[in-house]
Amino acid sequence: MHHNLLLILFLLFAVMMLVLLAKKIKIAYPIFLVIAGLGISFIPGMPVLKLDPDIIFLLFLPPLLYEAAWYTSWTDFWKWKRPISLLAFGLVFFTSLVVAYISSSMIPGFTLALGFLLGGIVSPPDAVAAATVMKGLKIPKRLLTILEGESLVNDAASLIVFRFALAAVITGTFSMQEATGQFFLVAGMGVVVGIIGGNIMYAIHRFLPTNPAIDAALTVMTPYILFLAAEQFHFSGVMAVVTGGLFISWRSHEIFKTGSTRLNMLGVWTTMIFVMNALVFILIGLELPEIVQGLGKHLVYKGLKYGILISLIVIVLRFLWVYPIAHIPRFLFKKIRENEPSPGWKGPLITSYAGMRGVVSLATALSIPMYLDDKGTLFPERNMIIFITFVVIFITLVFQGLTLPLIIKWINIGEIDDKIPEDQQRKRIQIRLDELGLNHINEKYQTEISRNELIKFHKNTLENEVSNNQKSFDSVECHTTKKEEVEQYNHLLLEIHDLQRKELFKMRKHKEFEDSEIRKAELQLDLNDLKVTGNEH
């Protein structure tokens, strides 16, 4: 165990170095993760690490789904609910159905239930992979919103399909009518459990004397609590996690009131999800040699062929589904034509091509049980399903991931939304907040302004910030300032912040001030950075 733990830590470190390399050469890091998983399988002498498939499912999927729900905008989600639903439910079931029938007829020994199992695994695209690939590229905001919303709900839909198919394989019986009724019952009650659990966690955060560390710990525990509570009653733990995540995210401004709490949670979750993504690909790298050995050389070549064919099928099916659902509703309903801009042919092209499979598919495949029953009967075609899943992820992530940026630049889709650009939105928000502070001071502390130097100083600071932000906003709006000049201005601010950080380091080194006060100054610089960059630096 000690040796295996050291090995995983070493591999995790190596994977992180690859991610840094990906950042350096500006390639999406999920592409490097899948390549790293494949590379690990070729390292001689690697031990075979066997984990309970149920543990993999429970350990990885609840936080991955919860984090996706947390960063999903409910307002945007509801606004684009029609295309999201058609992709998340319609395309998942369509893909699962086609993959089920084709794989069961193409692969010897594959039953229809095993086909649905494979279809449920490979049907959901990964929004994180797509967003990482498209980062920094000029595309409409609504496309990213739809892809993120689709990924959130289609993970839930595909995992429910996976669970029903798994039960059918184990029991040997399957009824479409009974499964459909059970699907809505299990999913609906999972939503109920998520709402109840979300309200309980909301009350704990809101009314009990928590601190940043406890709040962060509770948010890490919440997806597991919601998942296990729903599964205890044989409802959908996946839907409970997604629903609870959306609910708590929507009410987060009421329960996480301090900047330190929010920054602490951001750090905890960003690190945890990144490490989980890396660990899943390390696990497949350690398990691939055994899977390949279990298949045998002859079946490996066949598995590679099946994987390539299934990859082409899921890619083509997405195109066949996306274009009709983008245009047929507009043709049928006048209200849609009036309220929504036309997607044209470019938007559906990007949406279709961005269907890259990722960590959820891989974690789901690894969660297939080793045995059918307590008697030790091996689960049929487990190695083949996992191998095909890895091939599908590899092809969609590497091939589509590397070529998608080229396609986006080639078609030059631009920004077709009516939304205000993000940098202008930030300035408008800050102006509103500063004006609110000024009004409060003028209404409640008018007499103190002349007596209290600190209040007077803060009032002047707010007035200066409002003036500067308004001038910056006006110059961008009337196009007197070019984009390059705005970028140069932001670059200057970040340069000054970096110099200030170096000065703080000197202060700490020479012990001029207490460390606690220097850390507070560093935190303020981080917050100042956020004013410039939004959420990245």
Side-chain angles (χ1 to χ4, degrees):
M1 183 63 190
H2 176 74
H3 174 71
N4 287 340
L5 181 60
L6 249 135
L7 175 66
I8 289 177
L9 286 173
F10 170 75
L11 291 174
L12 192 58
F13 177 80
V15 168
M16 288 185 181
M17 293 301 102
L18 284 175
V19 171
L20 292 176
L21 175 62
K23 188 175 180 181
K24 184 74 174 175
I25 61 178
K26 296 182 179 179
I27 291 179
Y29 79 84
I31 296 172
F32 270 68
L33 288 181
V34 70
I35 294 173
L38 181 64
I40 289 169
S41 67
F42 283 107
I43 299 175
M46 283 285 110
V48 176
L49 190 66
K50 291 186 178 180
L51 290 177
D52 187 337
D54 287 336
I55 295 295
I56 292 176
F57 194 92
L58 176 61
L59 184 64
F60 290 100
L61 289 172
L64 290 172
L65 294 170
Y66 190 78
E67 193 254 359
W70 184 269
Y71 288 108
T72 298
S73 165
W74 176 251
T75 304
D76 290 339
F77 182 87
W78 188 252
K79 180 180 179 181
W80 301 108
K81 58 185 178 296
R82 188 192 73 257
I84 287 173
S85 300
L86 288 171
L87 286 170
F89 291 105
L91 183 54
V92 161
F93 296 142
F94 178 55
T95 303
S96 299
L97 187 68
V98 174
V99 169
Y101 278 99
I102 290 180
S103 61
S104 61
S105 62
M106 177 175 63
I107 304 173
F110 240 62
T111 62
L112 193 59
L114 287 171
F116 271 107
L117 192 71
L118 177 61
I121 291 170
V122 300
S123 57
D126 184 1
V128 174
T132 309
V133 167
M134 293 187 285
K135 181 181 175 182
L137 298 173
K138 197 174 181 182
I139 60 168
K141 178 71 174 176
R142 68 167 176 166
L143 291 187
L144 274 177
T145 301
I146 290 170
L147 288 171
E148 289 169 356
E150 175 205 1
S151 179
L152 174 65
V153 184
N154 73 8
D155 285 344
S158 66
L159 287 168
I160 293 174
V161 171
F162 169 80
R163 280 296 178 92
F164 275 107
L166 190 62
V169 174
I170 293 172
T171 61
T173 59
F174 181 77
S175 166
M176 181 62 76
Q177 184 178 357
E178 183 181 343
T180 304
Q182 279 290 105
F183 174 86
F184 287 106
L185 174 65
V186 165
M189 291 307 295
V191 170
V192 172
V193 172
I195 292 172
I196 294 171
N199 273 283
I200 292 171
M201 298 311 294
Y202 165 83
I204 292 172
H205 285 290
R206 177 78 187 272
F207 301 112
L208 294 182
T210 59
N211 58 36
I214 292 175
D215 278 326
L218 285 172
T219 58
V220 172
M221 294 165 61
T222 298
Y224 295 107
I225 293 170
L226 294 174
F227 184 86
L228 290 171
E231 291 291 321
Q232 182 67 30
F233 296 102
H234 304 290
F235 302 141
S236 172
V238 171
M239 290 304 298
V241 170
V242 168
T243 307
L246 283 171
F247 175 80
I248 296 176
S249 173
W250 176 251
R251 307 297 293 272
S252 61
H253 65 287
E254 299 174 28
I255 54 181
F256 307 124
K257 295 181 178 179
T258 65
S260 57
T261 297
R262 286 188 291 273
L263 286 172
N264 188 48
M265 285 172 51
L266 176 65
V268 168
W269 274 92
T270 302
T271 304
M272 185 175 77
I273 295 301
F274 173 76
V275 170
M276 282 190 164
N277 272 276
L279 276 175
V280 170
F281 284 97
I282 289 173
L283 289 176
I284 188 64
L286 293 175
E287 196 162 330
L288 261 180
E290 187 184 27
I291 292 169
V292 169
Q293 187 178 359
L295 287 173
K297 188 176 180 180
H298 176 65
L299 284 180
V300 165
Y301 288 118
K302 285 196 171 184
L304 190 60
K305 182 183 75 173
Y306 299 146
I308 293 170
L309 289 173
I310 297 294
S311 300
L312 293 175
I313 289 167
V314 297
I315 291 170
V316 171
L317 288 178
R318 190 168 175 86
F319 276 90
L320 293 177
W321 185 267
V322 168
Y323 271 94
I325 69 162
H327 292 284
I328 290 176
R330 290 182 57 81
F331 176 76
L332 295 176
F333 301 102
K334 183 180 178 182
K335 188 177 180 181
I336 294 176
R337 293 196 298 273
E338 291 174 347
N339 295 334
E340 297 178 11
S342 172
W345 64 271
K346 295 180 179 180
L349 175 63
I350 293 174
T351 305
S352 302
Y353 205 75
M356 291 161 278
R357 275 58 182 174
V359 67
V360 171
S361 293
L362 189 53
T364 307
L366 290 172
S367 71
I368 297 174
M370 300 278 189
Y371 305 101
L372 275 178
D373 49 41
D374 296 334
K375 298 176 182 178
T377 307
L378 290 173
F379 194 96
E381 306 296 338
R382 181 181 188 270
N383 288 338
M384 181 63 76
I385 292 172
I386 295 175
F387 186 78
I388 291 173
T389 301
F390 183 77
V391 173
V392 172
I393 293 170
F394 188 89
I395 289 174
T396 56
L397 253 183
V398 176
F399 175 72
Q400 288 181 271
L402 290 175
T403 53
L404 179 59
L406 301 176
I407 291 173
I408 293 173
K409 290 176 182 177
W410 172 61
I411 65 175
N412 191 27
I413 186 171
E415 182 63 59
I416 60 174
D417 293 330
D418 296 327
K419 287 188 175 182
I420 303 168
E422 291 179 357
D423 58 336
Q424 295 187 35
Q425 288 188 57
R426 285 201 299 271
K427 287 184 174 66
R428 282 189 174 184
I429 291 169
Q430 193 59 52
I431 288 171
R432 287 274 295 276
L433 294 178
D434 289 341
E435 286 178 341
L436 179 66
L438 275 173
N439 291 337
H440 183 72
I441 291 174
N442 289 329
E443 288 174 9
K444 298 289 183 70
Y445 294 90
Q446 190 63 49
T447 57
E448 285 83 352
I449 291 173
S450 57
R451 300 175 187 173
N452 190 321
E453 286 295 325
L454 290 174
I455 293 177
K456 182 180 179 181
F457 175 75
H458 187 62
K459 177 177 179 289
N460 293 335
T461 300
L462 287 176
E463 287 174 340
N464 289 333
E465 285 189 3
V466 169
S467 176
N468 290 337
N469 279 325
Q470 189 63 54
K471 286 177 182 176
S472 176
F473 177 74
D474 291 341
S475 67
V476 173
E477 195 174 47
C478 67
H479 304 290
T480 58
T481 301
K482 296 178 182 178
K483 182 181 177 183
E484 291 80 8
E485 291 175 350
V486 175
E487 290 176 351
Q488 189 178 41
Y489 171 70
N490 289 339
H491 181 69
L492 168 66
L493 292 178
L494 295 176
E495 270 189 347
I496 292 172
H497 297 167
D498 285 339
L499 288 172
Q500 290 170 334
R501 282 192 185 87
K502 290 176 182 176
E503 187 62 28
L504 286 173
F505 175 75
K506 290 178 184 176
M507 293 177 191
R508 178 181 284 120
K509 185 178 179 181
H510 297 134
K511 301 178 181 178
E512 297 178 42
F513 304 98
E514 292 183 7
D515 275 2
S516 59
E517 297 307 315
I518 291 176
R519 278 194 292 269
K520 289 176 185 176
E522 287 174 331
L523 175 61
Q524 186 57 54
L525 284 176
D526 292 339
L527 295 174
N528 291 340
D529 274 0
L530 287 176
K531 288 183 180 180
V532 179
T533 62
N535 61 353
E536 294 178 15
H537 178 33

